[in-house]
């Protein structure tokens, strides 16, 4: 019986896993490190790196679609709420990032709540030496600027945009493609540019 299981069942299980990994390459490696709601989907490019090793540090709501990279450091907490679409974007969380419901994060967007590296050239050089040895270097929150990022419901962030630490983007707002957001964005507002500036208000009365 054991021989039959080894010959038939194990190869079948491995085949299913191989097929699943081709469609969802990050699931097998990282699924234990996140909490995901029902109807979540992952594209071929999706990748999750939860260095906190705690599922509660990375939560995806109902119907979230992930097509990019989510990286959570040991001190971070990342929450993406229901029906949000993450294309080939990168979200780097060292402290706290919250993305609301029904948001669209386009290709090549970068969202980060930390400067990632210290101002000191000496320390950056030391970090580079450590990284060259294959050791992942996490930001030292005492020496690196960091602040939570909040993206409210219904926000659309255009392709190639950069959202920096400490920013809140208000409900229903749009960030134009290629923008660099360094300050808060009011709700129902279109911003664009580097640094991003208000272009106009959105006249739609409500998203509700």
């Amino acid at each position: 019986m054991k021989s039959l299981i080894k010959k038939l069942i194990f190869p079948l299980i491995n085949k299913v896993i191989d097929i699943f990994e081709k469609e969802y390459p990050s699931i097998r490696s990282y699924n234990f490190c996140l909490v995901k709601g029902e109807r979540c989907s992952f594209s071929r490019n999706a990748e999750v790196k939860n260095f906190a090793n705690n599922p509660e540090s990375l939560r995806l709501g109902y119907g979230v679609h992930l097509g990019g990279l989510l990286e959570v450091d040991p001190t971070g907490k990342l929450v993406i709420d229901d029906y949000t679409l993450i294309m080939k974007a990168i979200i780097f969380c060292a402290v706290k990032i919250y993305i609301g419901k029904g948001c669209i994060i386009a290709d090549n967007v970068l969202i980060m709540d930390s400067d990632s590296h210290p101002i000191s050239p000496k320390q950056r050089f030391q970090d580079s030496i450590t990284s060259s040895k294959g050791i992942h270097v996490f930001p030292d929150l005492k020496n690196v600027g960091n602040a939570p990022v909040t993206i409210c419901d219904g926000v659309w962030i255009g392709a190639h945009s950069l959202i920096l630490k400490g920013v809140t983007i208000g409900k229903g707002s749009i960030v134009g493609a290629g923008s660099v957001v360094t300050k808060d964005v009011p709700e129902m507002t279109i911003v664009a540019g580097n640094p991003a500036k208000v272009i106009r208000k959105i006249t739609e009365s409500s998203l509700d």
Side-chain angles (χ1 to χ4, degrees), residues 38-50:
E38 295 180 7
R39 301 287 180 90
C40 284
S41 60
F42 300 79
S43 79
R44 208 175 275 273
N45 299 299
E47 188 175 1
V48 175
K49 296 181 179 179
N50 186 357

Side-chain angles (χ1 to χ4, degrees), residues 98-104 150-157 167-175 184-191 200-208:
Y98 172 77
I99 300 176
K101 297 178 181 179
C103 295
I104 301 173
T150 301
I151 298 172
C152 299
D153 297 349
V155 168
W156 173 16
I157 300 178
V167 164
T168 295
I169 301 178
K171 182 178 180 181
S173 290
I174 298 173
V175 176
D184 291 352
V185 176
E187 66 176 41
M188 303 299 282
T189 302
I190 299 174
V191 299
R200 65 180 176 87
K201 296 290 289 184
I202 298 172
T203 55
E204 182 182 4
S205 60
S206 176
L207 296 176
D208 300 328

Side-chain angles (χ1 to χ4, degrees), residues 112-169:
M112 53 197 305
D113 61 359
S114 172
D115 290 338
S116 298
H117 302 287
I119 293 176
S120 166
K122 182 178 179 180
Q123 186 59 55
R124 291 199 307 273
F125 182 69
Q126 186 60 49
D127 289 347
S128 297
I129 293 173
T130 303
S131 297
S132 70
K133 297 176 182 178
I135 302 171
H136 192 99
V137 178
F138 298 106
D140 183 346
L141 300 186
K142 294 179 181 178
N143 300 321
V144 174
N146 58 84
V149 170
T150 301
I151 298 172
C152 299
D153 297 349
V155 168
W156 173 16
I157 300 178
H160 300 276
S161 293
L162 174 59
I163 312 299
L164 295 177
K165 69 179 189 297
V167 164
T168 295
I169 301 178

Side-chain angles (χ1 to χ4, degrees), residues 54-69:
N54 176 6
E56 293 295 331
S57 296
L58 177 53
R59 300 182 65 90
L60 306 182
Y62 183 97
V64 170
H65 175 76
L66 176 63
L69 168 64

